[in-house]
Amino acid sequence: MARPAALEARLDRLEALDEIRQLTAKYCLALDMRDLDALCGLFPEDVRVSRDEAGRRALRRWFDQTLRVQFTGTAHVTGNHVIEFESADSARGLVYSRNEHETGGQWSAMTMMYWDRYERIGGRWLFRRRLPL
């Protein structure tokens, strides 16, 4: 995408980059603290959870089930965050995550990548979609 010419648009882009990076940090913090309300609040009201389910309530159920059943504890650290804007209110990104997961008293480390879609809704950047690989 071409570089915005107007100073106001350039400042908006810089602020957007920081907000999106903070979004990823807030995701890790909420996930590791098991703050499901904060975690789900990082997604839009109509977030698609599965082929048959949408909405924050469905997302909260999914996170609750996943975190309770699979992991006792987690620790996530991110880096190498690349963000590309599609418009002033839409972007996509790739972010690396180094994770430690506790299962049955054992901790294991893993590295993941997230393919993200971000959308600014009501002046706030949110995850439209987050796909871990």
Coordinates of all heavy atoms in Angstrom, one line a residue, residues 5 7 11 14-15 24-25 31 35 39 48 56 60 64 76 79 90 94-95 97 103 114-116 122 125 130:
A5 N 0.2 10.4 2.5 CA 0.8 11.7 2.3 C 0.6 12.7 3.4 O 1.5 13.4 3.8 CB 0.4 12.3 0.9
L7 N 0.1 14.5 6.9 CA 0.7 14.3 8.2 C -0.3 13.6 9.2 O 0.1 12.7 9.9 CB 1.1 15.6 8.8 CG 1.7 15.6 10.2 CD1 3.0 14.7 10.2 CD2 2.1 17.0 10.7
L11 N 0.4 10.1 11.2 CA 0.3 9.9 12.6 C -0.7 8.8 13.0 O -0.5 8.1 13.9 CB -0.1 11.3 13.3 CG 1.0 12.3 13.3 CD1 0.4 13.7 13.8 CD2 2.2 11.9 14.1
L14 N 1.0 5.5 12.6 CA 1.9 5.2 13.7 C 1.1 4.8 14.9 O 1.5 3.9 15.6 CB 2.8 6.4 13.9 CG 3.9 6.7 12.9 CD1 4.5 8.1 13.2 CD2 4.9 5.6 12.9
E15 N 0.1 5.5 15.2 CA -0.7 5.2 16.4 C -1.4 3.8 16.2 O -1.4 3.0 17.2 CB -1.8 6.2 16.7 CG -1.3 7.5 17.2 CD -2.3 8.6 17.4 OE1 -3.5 8.4 16.9 OE2 -2.1 9.6 18.1
T24 N -1.7 -7.4 20.7 CA -1.1 -8.7 20.8 C -0.5 -8.9 22.3 O -0.6 -10.0 22.8 CB 0.1 -8.8 19.8 OG1 -0.5 -8.7 18.5 CG2 0.8 -10.1 19.9
A25 N 0.1 -7.9 22.8 CA 0.6 -8.0 24.2 C -0.6 -8.2 25.2 O -0.4 -9.0 26.1 CB 1.4 -6.7 24.6
L31 N -4.5 -14.1 28.3 CA -4.5 -15.5 28.2 C -3.7 -16.2 29.4 O -4.3 -17.1 30.0 CB -3.8 -15.9 26.9 CG -3.7 -17.4 26.5 CD1 -5.1 -17.9 26.1 CD2 -2.8 -17.5 25.3
D35 N -7.9 -14.3 32.2 CA -8.9 -13.3 32.2 C -9.7 -13.3 30.9 O -9.4 -12.6 30.0 CB -8.2 -11.9 32.4 CG -9.2 -10.8 32.6 OD1 -10.5 -11.0 32.3 OD2 -8.8 -9.7 33.0
L39 N -9.8 -11.1 27.5 CA -9.3 -11.8 26.3 C -10.4 -11.7 25.2 O -10.1 -11.3 24.0 CB -9.1 -13.3 26.6 CG -8.5 -14.1 25.5 CD1 -7.1 -13.6 25.0 CD2 -8.3 -15.6 26.0
R48 N -16.2 -14.8 14.5 CA -16.5 -16.1 14.1 C -15.6 -17.1 14.9 O -14.4 -17.0 14.9 CB -16.2 -16.2 12.6 CG -16.3 -17.6 12.0 CD -17.6 -18.2 11.8 NE -18.7 -17.4 11.4 CZ -20.0 -17.6 11.6 NH1 -20.3 -18.7 12.4 NH2 -20.9 -16.8 11.2
R56 N -18.8 -13.2 21.1 CA -17.9 -13.3 22.3 C -18.2 -14.4 23.3 O -17.4 -15.0 23.9 CB -17.8 -11.9 22.9 CG -17.0 -10.9 22.1 CD -16.9 -9.6 22.9 NE -16.2 -8.6 22.1 CZ -16.3 -7.3 22.2 NH1 -17.2 -6.8 23.1 NH2 -15.6 -6.5 21.5
R60 N -15.7 -17.2 24.4 CA -15.4 -17.4 25.9 C -15.5 -18.8 26.2 O -14.6 -19.4 26.9 CB -16.3 -16.5 26.7 CG -15.8 -16.4 28.2 CD -16.8 -15.6 29.0 NE -16.2 -15.2 30.3 CZ -15.9 -16.0 31.3 NH1 -16.1 -17.2 31.2 NH2 -15.3 -15.5 32.4
D64 N -12.4 -21.1 27.5 CA -12.5 -21.7 28.8 C -12.3 -23.2 28.7 O -11.5 -23.8 29.5 CB -13.9 -21.4 29.4 CG -14.1 -22.0 30.8 OD1 -13.2 -21.7 31.6 OD2 -15.1 -22.7 31.0
H76 N 3.3 -16.7 27.5 CA 3.5 -16.3 26.1 C 4.3 -15.1 26.0 O 4.1 -14.1 26.7 CB 2.1 -16.1 25.5 CG 1.3 -17.3 25.3 ND1 0.7 -17.9 26.4 CD2 1.0 -18.0 24.2 CE1 0.0 -19.0 25.9 NE2 0.2 -19.0 24.6
G79 N 7.2 -11.7 19.5 CA 8.3 -10.9 18.8 C 8.1 -11.0 17.3 O 7.2 -11.7 16.8
S90 N -8.1 -1.5 8.5 CA -8.0 -2.9 8.3 C -6.5 -3.3 8.0 O -5.8 -2.6 7.3 CB -8.8 -3.4 7.0 OG -8.6 -4.7 6.8
L94 N 1.6 -10.9 11.0 CA 2.2 -12.1 11.4 C 3.1 -11.9 12.6 O 3.8 -10.9 12.6 CB 3.2 -12.6 10.2 CG 4.1 -13.8 10.5 CD1 3.2 -15.1 10.7 CD2 5.1 -14.0 9.4
V95 N 2.9 -12.7 13.6 CA 3.6 -12.5 14.9 C 4.1 -13.8 15.4 O 3.4 -14.8 15.4 CB 2.8 -11.7 15.9 CG1 1.6 -12.5 16.3 CG2 3.6 -11.4 17.1
S97 N 5.4 -16.2 18.5 CA 5.1 -16.4 19.9 C 5.9 -17.5 20.4 O 5.9 -18.6 19.9 CB 3.6 -16.6 20.1 OG 3.3 -16.7 21.4
T103 N 1.2 -28.8 31.4 CA 0.2 -29.9 31.3 C 0.6 -31.0 32.3 O 1.7 -31.6 32.1 CB 0.2 -30.4 29.9 OG1 -0.1 -29.4 29.0 CG2 -1.0 -31.4 29.7
Y114 N 1.3 -16.6 14.6 CA -0.1 -16.3 14.4 C -0.2 -15.5 13.2 O 0.5 -14.5 12.9 CB -0.6 -15.4 15.6 CG -0.7 -16.1 16.9 CD1 0.3 -16.1 17.8 CD2 -1.9 -16.8 17.2 CE1 0.1 -16.8 19.1 CE2 -2.1 -17.4 18.4 CZ -1.1 -17.4 19.3 OH -1.2 -18.1 20.5
W115 N -1.2 -15.8 12.3 CA -1.6 -15.1 11.2 C -2.9 -14.3 11.6 O -3.9 -14.9 11.9 CB -1.9 -16.0 10.0 CG -0.7 -16.6 9.4 CD1 -0.2 -17.9 9.8 CD2 0.1 -16.1 8.4 NE1 0.9 -18.1 9.0 CE2 1.2 -17.0 8.2 CE3 0.2 -14.9 7.7 CZ2 2.2 -16.8 7.3 CZ3 1.2 -14.7 6.8 CH2 2.2 -15.7 6.6
D116 N -2.8 -13.0 11.7 CA -3.8 -12.2 12.2 C -4.5 -11.3 11.2 O -3.8 -10.9 10.2 CB -3.3 -11.2 13.3 CG -2.8 -12.0 14.6 OD1 -3.3 -13.1 14.8 OD2 -1.9 -11.4 15.2
G122 N -15.2 1.2 15.9 CA -15.5 2.2 16.9 C -14.3 2.9 17.4 O -14.2 3.2 18.6
W125 N -8.8 -0.9 17.8 CA -8.3 -2.0 17.0 C -8.6 -3.3 17.7 O -8.4 -3.4 18.9 CB -6.8 -1.9 16.8 CG -6.4 -0.9 15.7 CD1 -6.1 0.4 15.9 CD2 -6.5 -1.1 14.3 NE1 -5.9 1.0 14.6 CE2 -6.2 0.1 13.7 CE3 -6.8 -2.2 13.5 CZ2 -6.1 0.2 12.3 CZ3 -6.7 -2.1 12.1 CH2 -6.4 -0.9 11.5
R130 N -7.7 -14.7 14.3 CA -6.3 -15.0 14.8 C -6.1 -16.5 14.5 O -6.8 -17.4 15.1 CB -6.3 -14.7 16.3 CG -4.9 -15.0 16.9 CD -4.6 -14.0 18.0 NE -3.4 -13.3 17.6 CZ -2.4 -13.2 18.3 NH1 -2.4 -13.6 19.6 NH2 -1.3 -12.6 17.9

